[in-house]
Structure formats: structure tokens, C-alpha cells
Amino acid sequence: MNAVIGLCHFCELHGPSILFYTQSFHCSNHTPDQVLNGVAASPSLCGISQNRLHSGSFSEETVKKDDEKQKVRRTSSGSRHTTCEACRSLNQGEPGFLSIDKESHISYISMQYPEEQELYSILRHACVRSLSCEVCPGREGPIMFGDEASGYVFSYTFFLKDLQSRGFQRWYSLICVMMDRIYLANSWQFLISNFKSIIDDMQSKAEQVYKTEHAEKPQREALLQPRNAFMTPDQFRRARGGQVYRSLMQITKDKNIFQNLHQSFSWILKASGQRFTEKLLEGPPVEDYLYDEDEVEPPLEELQALALSPYPDSSEGPVFESIGHVYKVLGDANFHVVAFHVVRGDQLVVQGENEVTVKSMLKVLKQFIPAGCFRALYYEKEYQDSWRCNFLGLPLGVEIPFHVLQSQLFVQIKIIDKENGGEGAETSSKSHFSFCENSFDSYQFEVSGNSVGNEPTYLKHIMKALRNNTINRSVFDLMLITAKEQWMGKVKVMFKFSKSGVRTTEEKDRLLEVLQAKPEDEILLKYWMTSLSRSYRSHLLNCSNHKGEL
């Protein structure tokens, strides 16, 4: 996270002051091999100026005291302003702390004051406002303030018990400063939880020290009660023998408190940065992205057919109005065979003497697949190869080549008008789908094609819905649209995967597992991939390339 976390203190003699701060930076001079091999960090490799470093070796994983710690020379506090014991975290010339994260290749440095003047001004401004201007009710608790010029600040103010302080308590604040207001606001609960944990630990230690000192000298508290409520800070200091401004280490009796704060602040910066990451979110593809209308010039017959009304006048012949209608007329077994071949991209041939009926069936069954996969010749005089169309309408008398009939990538529906009438096609499958009462009693339907094998998961869901008598047409239509959008999302991922270089079978199997798809779904995914237009494919590839560069 591009932020700075600091500990501030309100000194009764010097006012608000910065005690300790932690910031992160990238060690761009390290190579990936050096990081993976665990090479020891050095000033030149870390990209830190020599005047900020303490001599000695560094550890990349832990923060240790003296030679075992990674240390940096802080800027002299005396160069900023005069300080007392309470305003100092590190003595003059004492190094700070440095930790290096191997995985993300980010370093975390902790000192009392930043070396950069601009950062020091921002922190100083935040410190003053945190302890002097922006105070929440009760003076303890979280608050957020800031502006674009000075940055935005999350501040959590609190008190620590101190027997030698006025009112027997000292005022501190933890601040987090960054320039991104939205990011900081979204981190509100995260920062409250972690800051409160740090504060509770310090308050517990200070409370224990306070109780111990009070037990040793119970009369001291009464002696230190000021006789004059308006005693000046200098009078208060002289009344206590000049030893009233104790450091945080003395208040908590924890000599490693700043080491612990460095570790806590570093973890918060890292964890907060991992909570929010920029990702490219792709919604389901819309129809405009799926195919180019002028990519291939459609035949004249197709243009004429597309100009027809979606639901022709029933006086010209019976028409199919929905998938549920076709399902009821064909019956479960025949419909299952037809749907199996359609969703996999096999050629569908519908033959019948009534052109309107043939066209209506083709238009209904195209709802199974994305618009870009639909290539139809609605009513031809002779058979057309599958490379020209995957939906083909023919009169009954047209012969189909023998090799096509023997192919496993072909399904045929014959719509036969029986001369003498009869009981009609099998309609034993009951359904709650509503449709116009077009009579198919004088028609029989013959379906020929390879039997259903390992059917795709998408088809299983469709058939399950069709067999559910409680689902009406409107609900089914919405379910079908949702299912297509869901699987088109998986198609986009599969397309990016296929264009990212040579992949092994194991990698492909892992991808299918992540997509919650099975091996039998691979044919459907590859077929539906053809529905993506050239422009949309370029869009997906460009998004992938940009994401890899970030």
C-alpha cells in the first residue's frame, strides 16, 4: 500500500511531535534470481543512500537488534527542532529498522523522521491536526480528515497511563497517511481493527507499569496533585524535579516497543495492500461483440429469410414459437438428440415441404447457441456443406450425400405431413410451456443422428429445466440467457488461455477445473469461441497484454 503509518505524541513542553513512522519502497535494484536465492541485502542492492544506512549485514526476513537487525540511520532530530525524552523514539545516531519482503520485493523502513523534506512536512501536518485540531468525541477513537494537497489521514487517538504525567496519562495517536481518499475510506474497518490491537497492547503494558509504581509509592500520587489548576508546564516540570517527560519505553517498560511497532506497521502496510488489487473485470459479452455483420456477406436467400417476421402468419402453416414448444412436439428423446448436436456445433438439417414451418424451427433452435455461431441457410434447393452453414433448411425431396448421413457430426429432422392424418407425433411429455395452439396432429417427425454421448454440462442444465413441469416459458427464457452468458465468460477465459502460448495437457485440465468445466465441455467451449468477432478477440488480447505489463 502506498501509505505511511506513524506514531505521534503530544508533549506538554513541545506540543505535537512525530515519534516513529514506517514507509514502504521498492528495491528495484534486486534481480528476481537474487531474491529467490536469498542473497544478502546490501545498501547498493536496496537502492538506499549510504548516509541512511547503519554499517553491518542485513537479514531479509527478520528484524533483529543491533547486528542482527536491518538498520538505517535516521535524520538527526536536533536538526528539526528541540526535543525532550518524551519526544524521542531513537537516540541521536541510533539506527532505525529495515525489513525486506522477498515475495513482493518491497522494503519497509522505520525511523523517527523522514529524510525527505516533503514527506516530513506531510507527516508533521498530519501529526498537528491529529493531536490539536481534529479531535473525535471523547478524545479517544478513530477519525478521518485531509485534503488533496496534504494527503488524507486516518487517525486513532488514545491515552497511556503515566504516574509522572499531568492527569497521570499521556496523549498519543496512530496515523495512516495516503493520497487516495477512496482507498483509505475502504480500509477504515481494517485499520481500526489493527490499530486497536496495537493500542490495547501498549495500554496494557502502561497500565501494568502504572499499577506497579503506584503500589511502590502510593503517597506519590497525592503529592503530585497540583495545588494550582492553572500551573504552567514549566511549573509542573519543576514540581516533579524535572523528570516528568518520560519516553514511551519507560512508560511501558518495553525496550523492544519500537521494534514491535516496526513489525506491526510493516505488516499492516503489506496486508492492506493485498486487500485491494486492481483487476480487469469483463462483463458477459453483448451481442454486438459476438459477430461482425459485414465480416461475411450472407447469401441473398438468407437476407430474404431474415426479413421475414419472426413469427409468420399461421395461415401459411404451423410454426414453432419456443424451445418448449419444439420439446413438446418432438418428445424428450428426439429433442435431446437434436439439442446435443446443436450445442456442439454439428450441422442441423431440417427438411419439410412447408417452408414456414422449417424456418420457424431453425429460428427457435438457434437460441441454444450464441448469435455468432449461427450460420443459416433457411430453405435451399440442394444440400449445402457444413462449412457454409450449420443450420440448413431443405425440401423433403432433396438428397443428402451418403458420407454426410454416416457422419457423427450431423443431425437431421424430417417434418412429414401425413396424407391420411393420424394421431400425430409423440406428445406424451407434459410441459407448462405456453404457446399458440398450432396443430401438428397431421405431422410426424423423424430424427436421425448419432445418439447422445458425453453431453456438455450446459445441455444437462437445459434438459433438467425442460423436464421441470413447474418452470414456465418466461422463467426458462431467462435461465437460458443466464446460462449462455455464464458459459460465454468461460469461453473468453479459454480463448485467452489458447492464445497465451503452448500449453500442456495438465495445464488445460487445471484450467477446466478452475472453470468448473468437464472434459466433455471442451468441444462446446471451442465451438462457442468462434462466435467472438475479430475486433472483440483483439480487445481481449490487448486487455491480457496490458494486465501482464502492470
Side-chain angles (χ1 to χ4, degrees):
M1 180 174 66
N2 188 18
V4 177
I5 297 179
L7 172 65
C8 304
H9 165 245
F10 187 88
C11 177
E12 295 178 358
L13 186 60
H14 302 104
S17 61
I18 304 169
L19 268 184
F20 197 70
Y21 89 101
T22 301
Q23 70 176 122
S24 61
F25 65 94
H26 288 270
C27 288
S28 57
N29 293 332
H30 275 104
T31 64
D33 292 338
Q34 289 173 329
V35 176
L36 293 176
N37 295 332
V39 64
S42 65
S44 59
L45 287 177
C46 290
I48 309 173
S49 58
Q50 288 289 343
N51 62 343
R52 297 176 63 186
L53 292 174
H54 181 272
S55 59
S57 61
F58 287 2
S59 169
E60 293 187 342
E61 299 178 342
T62 59
V63 180
K64 300 179 180 180
K65 200 70 173 177
D66 299 329
D67 291 339
E68 296 179 353
K69 293 178 184 176
Q70 305 176 42
K71 300 181 179 180
V72 211
R73 190 178 302 278
R74 72 176 184 89
T75 304
S76 173
S77 60
S79 63
R80 301 291 186 183
H81 50 71
T82 305
T83 60
C84 62
E85 187 72 17
C87 298
R88 289 195 297 267
S89 57
L90 303 173
N91 296 323
Q92 178 120 8
E94 185 180 353
F97 305 94
L98 174 68
S99 296
I100 301 177
D101 183 359
K102 282 186 177 182
E103 296 179 357
S104 60
H105 213 211
I106 295 177
S107 297
Y108 301 91
I109 182 175
S110 295
M111 302 169 63
Q112 178 160 359
Y113 300 118
E115 188 178 56
E116 298 80 5
Q117 181 60 40
E118 182 180 1
L119 180 58
Y120 173 80
S121 299
I122 292 176
L123 277 181
R124 175 66 180 170
H125 181 76
C127 173
V128 172
R129 292 188 64 177
S130 172
L131 296 172
S132 299
C133 307
E134 311 290 346
V135 182
C136 64
R139 300 186 72 185
E140 284 190 291
I143 192 171
M144 181 176 169
F145 56 88
D147 52 60
E148 293 183 359
S150 302
Y152 296 93
V153 183
F154 173 88
S155 172
Y156 201 120
T157 53
F158 62 98
F159 292 96
L160 293 182
K161 282 282 191 178
D162 181 14
L163 189 62
Q164 296 187 13
S165 297
R166 181 185 299 186
F168 309 107
Q169 60 184 10
R170 304 281 291 279
W171 196 15
Y172 293 86
S173 71
L174 291 176
I175 60 173
C176 178
V177 186
M178 68 170 61
M179 303 304 295
D180 192 335
R181 175 176 57 86
I182 302 300
Y183 198 109
L184 185 61
N186 288 332
S187 302
W188 176 271
Q189 291 297 334
F190 174 80
L191 292 175
I192 287 181
S193 174
N194 289 279
F195 278 11
K196 191 65 169 62
S197 177
I198 297 173
I199 292 169
D200 289 343
D201 180 66
M202 289 193 293
Q203 287 180 333
S204 175
K205 293 176 180 178
E207 179 76 18
Q208 185 63 37
V209 173
Y210 176 84
K211 290 180 178 179
T212 301
E213 292 179 347
H214 185 270
E216 293 175 353
K217 299 179 180 180
Q219 71 281 5
R220 182 174 179 81
E221 183 173 346
L223 294 175
L224 291 180
Q225 292 290 350
R227 297 176 183 179
N228 185 357
F230 300 100
M231 182 180 294
T232 65
D234 187 59
Q235 292 173 334
F236 178 78
R237 179 174 57 84
R238 289 198 302 269
R240 285 153 178 77
Q243 300 296 328
V244 295
Y245 303 116
R246 298 194 295 180
S247 68
L248 184 61
M249 289 185 183
Q250 294 171 326
I251 294 175
T252 60
K253 291 292 179 69
D254 183 3
K255 63 180 181 179
N256 296 323
I257 188 165
F258 291 108
Q259 174 186 343
N260 297 335
L261 286 175
H262 166 75
Q263 293 174 332
S264 299
F265 290 172
S266 299
W267 183 89
I268 292 174
L269 289 173
K270 177 179 180 179
S272 184
Q274 292 176 340
R275 291 178 65 247
F276 297 97
T277 57
E278 295 183 356
K279 294 182 178 179
L280 175 66
L281 298 180
E282 285 282 344
V286 295
E287 294 294 316
D288 294 341
Y289 282 140
L290 296 180
Y291 64 98
D292 296 320
E293 293 182 355
D294 54 346
E295 184 173 349
V296 178
E297 183 178 359
L300 178 62
E301 294 84 359
E302 182 176 349
L303 292 176
Q304 293 173 343
L306 290 173
L308 295 176
S309 171
Y311 302 110
D313 188 355
S314 59
S315 62
E316 300 178 7
V319 297
F320 294 97
E321 297 184 358
S322 67
I323 290 179
H325 189 180
V326 176
Y327 173 76
K328 181 177 180 181
V329 172
L330 292 183
D332 184 87
N334 286 336
F335 182 88
H336 198 179
V337 172
V338 173
F340 172 74
H341 288 276
V342 168
V343 299
R344 288 162 45 96
D346 299 338
Q347 187 179 42
L348 168 66
V349 177
V350 180
Q351 290 185 272
E353 293 300 337
N354 194 315
E355 183 178 351
V356 173
T357 303
V358 172
K359 290 179 179 179
S360 68
M361 175 171 280
L362 294 176
K363 290 182 179 181
V364 167
L365 293 178
K366 78 174 184 179
Q367 299 176 45
F368 273 122
I369 58 178
C373 292
F374 180 68
R375 295 174 290 106
L377 295 176
Y378 284 98
Y379 208 69
E380 294 295 304
K381 301 302 181 182
E382 58 183 14
Y383 173 79
Q384 303 294 325
D385 291 329
S386 59
W387 62 267
R388 293 198 59 196
C389 61
N390 57 346
F391 280 61
L392 176 63
L394 297 173
L396 276 176
V398 176
E399 294 186 1
I400 299 176
F402 179 77
H403 72 276
V404 175
L405 295 175
Q406 297 299 316
S407 172
Q408 297 182 353
L409 308 178
F410 170 85
V411 62
Q412 179 187 31
I413 303 176
K414 286 186 177 181
I415 306 175
I416 303 173
D417 187 359
K418 297 183 295 183
E419 296 180 354
N420 300 325
E423 297 180 358
E426 175 63 39
T427 59
S428 60
S429 177
K430 297 182 179 180
S431 174
H432 284 219
F433 291 92
S434 60
F435 53 87
C436 297
E437 295 297 335
N438 297 302
S439 176
F440 284 94
D441 289 343
S442 61
Y443 289 82
Q444 70 178 20
F445 298 84
E446 297 179 0
V447 176
S448 58
N450 200 43
S451 60
V452 177
N454 294 327
E455 59 180 323
T457 306
Y458 167 77
L459 179 59
K460 292 179 181 178
H461 293 162
I462 300 300
M463 295 303 301
K464 182 178 180 180
L466 287 170
R467 292 161 181 162
N468 189 339
N469 295 332
T470 62
I471 296 180
N472 58 30
R473 175 178 174 178
S474 59
V475 174
F476 176 81
D477 290 342
L478 290 175
M479 185 277 299
L480 183 62
I481 293 174
T482 303
K484 284 197 294 185
E485 290 180 348
Q486 177 185 5
W487 281 89
M488 279 306 301
K490 300 178 182 182
V491 167
K492 292 191 295 182
V493 177
M494 177 66 76
F495 173 76
K496 292 182 181 181
F497 175 82
S498 64
K499 298 299 181 182
S500 59
V502 179
R503 297 290 187 174
T504 64
T505 304
E506 291 76 11
E507 290 176 325
K508 182 191 68 177
D509 293 340
R510 284 198 298 270
L511 176 64
L512 292 176
E513 184 177 354
V514 171
L515 295 176
Q516 296 182 347
K518 297 180 179 179
E520 53 264 29
D521 297 321
E522 186 178 355
I523 296 179
L524 180 143
L525 293 172
K526 290 183 177 180
Y527 168 52
W528 285 23
M529 202 182 296
T530 61
S531 67
L532 300 176
S533 66
R534 286 195 298 266
S535 60
Y536 194 62
R537 293 185 187 195
S538 299
H539 167 70
L540 291 178
L541 293 177
N542 290 336
C543 290
S544 299
N545 294 336
H546 291 329
K547 185 176 180 181
E549 295 172 358
L550 294 178

